[in-house]
Amino acid sequence: MIHMIVAINSTRTMGHHDSIPFYNPEDLAHFKAKTLNHVCVMGRVTYESIPKKLNNRMIWVLTTQTDYEPMHDNVIVFNDENHLLEAVLSYESDIYICGGLQIYRLFFPYVSVLWLSRINDDFNGDVKLDHFEEQLNLVNTVQYDTFVCEEYHR
Ligand SMILES: NC(=O)c1ccc[n+]([C@@H]2O[C@H](COP(=O)([O-])OP(=O)(O)OC[C@H]3O[C@@H](n4cnc5c(N)ncnc54)[C@H](OP(=O)(O)O)[C@@H]3O)[C@@H](O)[C@H]2O)c1
């Protein structure tokens, strides 16, 4: 099943200057719990914004750079969005679309489940999430101490 996982704040900001402008350890733990032992798909900008190796996960990175050398040994590089899409669609276990915005836009039509974290923060950053959830059905809401996670199904 293809999942999409993203965190936004009250201004729908998901990024600013190539990084996430809010720091929420509880949501990061949620991200880890969801994605552990699964494949994570991400764009090159998001991959480079992650400060350390994501252990126990395979990372599939999309970039136009044919000579791209990833920083970690758990990364597979794709240069062609169609090859990546074929790999995602034929993968037989859960797979997580982890951003950024370009990658969410490419893969949203194929996403079955959206995990949308709403962080209590009002910073107005330069990357805003599209209203993807309006095309899906809200099936569950979990209130954590510092954020709310909404689960949507297609
Ligand atoms: N809040 C969250 O949950 C969350 C999650 C993830 C990311 N973010 C934030 O989102 C922002 C990044 O999003 P973004 O949309 O700017 O970047 P992105 O989606 O992470 O990566 C974009 C890059 O992917 C590659 N790419 C995209 N489409 C391609 C295609 N069709 N073929 C080949 N390569 C392709 C290109 O890499 P090359 O330039 O190398 O060719 C492009 O520059 C950052 O601020 C990040 O912190 C937030």
Side-chain angles (χ1 to χ4, degrees):
M1 190 176 298
I2 303 174
H3 301 248
M4 172 170 151
I5 187 162
V6 57
I8 58 173
N9 72 2
S10 59
T11 69
R12 293 193 74 84
T13 293
M14 54 170 276
H16 187 64
H17 292 170
D18 294 348
S19 65
I20 298 177
F22 37 81
Y23 175 65
N24 185 304
E26 195 179 24
D27 181 59
L28 293 175
H30 156 78
F31 175 83
K32 183 175 181 181
K34 284 286 170 221
T35 58
L36 212 58
N37 301 314
H38 297 298
V39 171
C40 293
V41 177
M42 58 186 75
R44 192 267 310 161
V45 173
T46 293
Y47 170 63
E48 291 186 356
S49 76
I50 297 173
K52 60 178 186 175
K53 180 177 175 182
L54 293 178
N55 288 317
N56 301 110
R57 279 153 284 187
M58 280 303 297
I59 314 296
W60 293 358
V61 172
L62 185 63
T63 174
T64 58
Q65 302 169 47
T66 52
D67 57 352
Y68 189 69
E69 295 280 355
M71 298 169 281
H72 308 106
D73 59 8
N74 61 339
V75 173
I76 298 175
V77 175
F78 290 79
N79 292 129
D80 183 327
E81 67 179 68
N82 292 317
H83 289 163
L84 176 56
L85 179 59
E86 277 170 29
V88 167
L89 292 176
S90 60
Y91 194 71
E92 290 185 349
S93 184
D94 286 334
I95 192 161
Y96 282 78
I97 308 301
C98 298
L101 187 57
Q102 290 183 35
I103 271 43
Y104 291 140
R105 285 176 175 167
L106 273 178
F107 286 93
F108 178 69
Y110 309 97
V111 163
S112 297
V113 180
L114 164 64
W115 303 95
L116 177 62
S117 294
R118 294 189 187 269
I119 309 287
N120 188 16
D121 170 276
D122 62 2
F123 180 81
N124 200 9
D126 60 10
V127 187
K128 309 257 186 187
L129 188 69
D130 299 349
H131 292 254
F132 295 114
E133 72 275 19
E134 291 176 2
Q135 299 176 53
L136 305 174
N137 301 304
L138 179 64
V139 298
N140 197 24
T141 302
V142 177
Q143 174 73 59
Y144 290 83
D145 287 344
T146 56
F147 72 100
V148 174
C149 181
E150 296 173 348
E151 176 183 352
Y152 293 85
H153 291 186
R154 193 174 292 279

